[in-house]
Amino acid sequence: MLKFISFGSGSSGNCYYLGTATDALMIDIGIGLRTLKKHCRDYGISLSDVKHVLITHDHADHIKSVGSFSHDYTLPVYATPKVHAGIDHNYCITRKVADDMKMMLTVGEEVQIGEFLVRPFMVPHDASENVGYEIHVEGVNFVIITDVGCITDDIKEAISHADYLVIEANHDVEMLANGPYPAYLKQRIQSESGHLSNDSCGRALAENMTERLKHVWLCHLSEENNHPELARKTVESILRSYGIIPGKDMELEVLRRTMPTGMYELSI
Ligand SMILES: [Zn+2]
Ligand SMILES: [Zn+2]
């Protein structure tokens, strides 16, 4: 059975686990290694069972511990060449990924990584580069799209392929407009290379999801410009206006910023 856990989601650190009985990968290592080890102990997961790491982009909240994790467990790290270069140049990351552990991904090209068939696709965001992942394993299509400036055709296509989907609902447009952030930061977040609002997330879902979609997790919520309940309600009301009923047609949940989720079992 395929298992999924979110260990953290948002600007204080992102880290996701996806594992079968015999293979496992992590997506982004943006939380401290000690915290990650503790969470894994709590779930009865041995970190030495993790065999691969995928990175979306080179912002610190996604890569903080990737170098140490890769070093301590001798793990290959998959990312695009631009993201690898970005990690090398990121002054927040004290331990870099060793050259022989860097695995290069090409946007749009499928690659078999252990039991996982992985296709990275471009996601607009102001990092060196940012990708989402479509991951096919045990008959399930798992899709993750985080730190999203705007919805592109590639992203629409990925949503339409998803059985299980993690997608950003970063901010409420009004909370951001009236909130404490300086103007330049508000501008950055709203820009086409910034972050996705609850409204845009809801519309992207409603317009592109198919009947195969079973479960959506809203990720990377802003602490200052969003609330879990507000994000859920906004997305839910957009889905309802399209005749899609969360809880009946599919499950809709919000990922907490620093609290790990339960362990989900994903099947077809
Ligand atoms: Zn982020
Ligand atoms: Zn980012």
Side-chain angles (χ1 to χ4, degrees):
M1 182 76 84
L2 184 64
K3 297 194 166 90
F4 166 66
I5 306 167
S6 163
F7 289 122
S9 178
S11 53
S12 38
N14 299 270
C15 185
Y16 305 99
Y17 168 92
L18 198 61
T20 69
T22 40
D23 201 0
L25 57 76
M26 294 277 198
I27 304 167
D28 289 343
I29 311 287
I31 62 175
L33 217 44
R34 204 176 301 164
T35 310
L36 183 57
K37 282 180 186 165
K38 185 196 167 299
H39 289 332
C40 284
R41 262 200 313 276
D42 293 346
Y43 285 89
I45 293 171
S46 165
L47 273 178
S48 45
D49 291 343
V50 175
K51 300 202 172 98
H52 336 272
V53 177
L54 305 180
I55 298 295
T56 58
H57 66 293
D58 54 314
H59 284 157
D61 57 321
H62 299 259
I63 57 167
K64 189 176 129 188
S65 306
V66 65
S68 336
F69 187 50
S70 166
H71 173 265
D72 291 4
Y73 295 89
T74 331
L75 283 175
V77 177
Y78 292 81
T80 67
K82 282 185 187 167
V83 170
H84 273 305
I87 297 172
D88 281 341
H89 296 132
N90 193 320
Y91 64 89
C92 301
I93 314 303
T94 41
R95 188 186 278 273
K96 307 296 184 189
V97 178
D99 282 345
D100 59 343
M101 288 293 133
K102 288 179 189 160
M103 303 295 154
M104 298 300 169
L105 291 174
T106 306
V107 173
E109 246 173 53
E110 261 181 5
V111 54
Q112 189 72 41
I113 301 175
E115 294 175 18
F116 305 89
L117 184 63
V118 174
R119 189 180 71 87
F121 54 92
M122 197 67 89
V123 174
H125 186 56
D126 54 4
S128 300
E129 191 159 68
N130 185 29
V131 297
Y133 289 106
E134 217 179 293
I135 301 173
H136 190 75
V137 55
E138 294 192 341
V140 165
N141 239 12
F142 175 91
V143 176
I144 179 162
I145 307 167
T146 188
D147 298 55
V148 194
C150 59
I151 299 295
T152 61
D153 287 346
D154 282 348
I155 294 176
K156 292 177 184 174
E157 193 192 342
I159 294 173
S160 76
H161 294 164
D163 301 312
Y164 295 89
L165 174 65
V166 176
I167 185 168
E168 177 173 51
N170 177 258
H171 58 276
D172 174 76
V173 175
E174 268 180 39
M175 278 183 78
L176 177 65
N178 302 320
Y181 281 8
Y184 79 90
L185 198 50
K186 291 182 181 180
Q187 199 60 47
R188 191 216 135 199
I189 291 168
Q190 292 177 80
S191 79
E192 297 213 324
S193 55
H195 290 277
L196 204 64
S197 70
N198 297 336
D199 284 311
S200 305
C201 172
R203 273 198 308 277
L205 272 175
E207 289 169 6
N208 299 290
M209 63 174 274
T210 60
E211 280 180 4
R212 66 187 289 178
L213 186 66
K214 294 176 190 300
H215 203 131
V216 174
W217 293 274
L218 304 178
C219 76
H220 214 283
L221 268 69
S222 165
E223 190 165 24
E224 291 82 5
N225 307 305
N226 212 350
H227 287 302
E229 245 342 276
L230 180 60
R232 200 205 133 82
K233 276 193 182 138
T234 307
V235 171
E236 174 159 352
S237 72
I238 294 170
L239 289 173
R240 280 178 177 271
S241 73
Y242 282 71
I244 302 159
I245 316 295
K248 178 171 162 272
D249 297 323
M250 35 78 87
E251 297 303 320
L252 177 66
E253 278 188 77
V254 178
L255 295 180
R256 298 306 167 116
R257 293 169 50 81
T258 53
M259 237 191 329
T261 58
M263 188 190 275
Y264 294 94
E265 296 196 335
L266 315 186
S267 63
I268 265 304

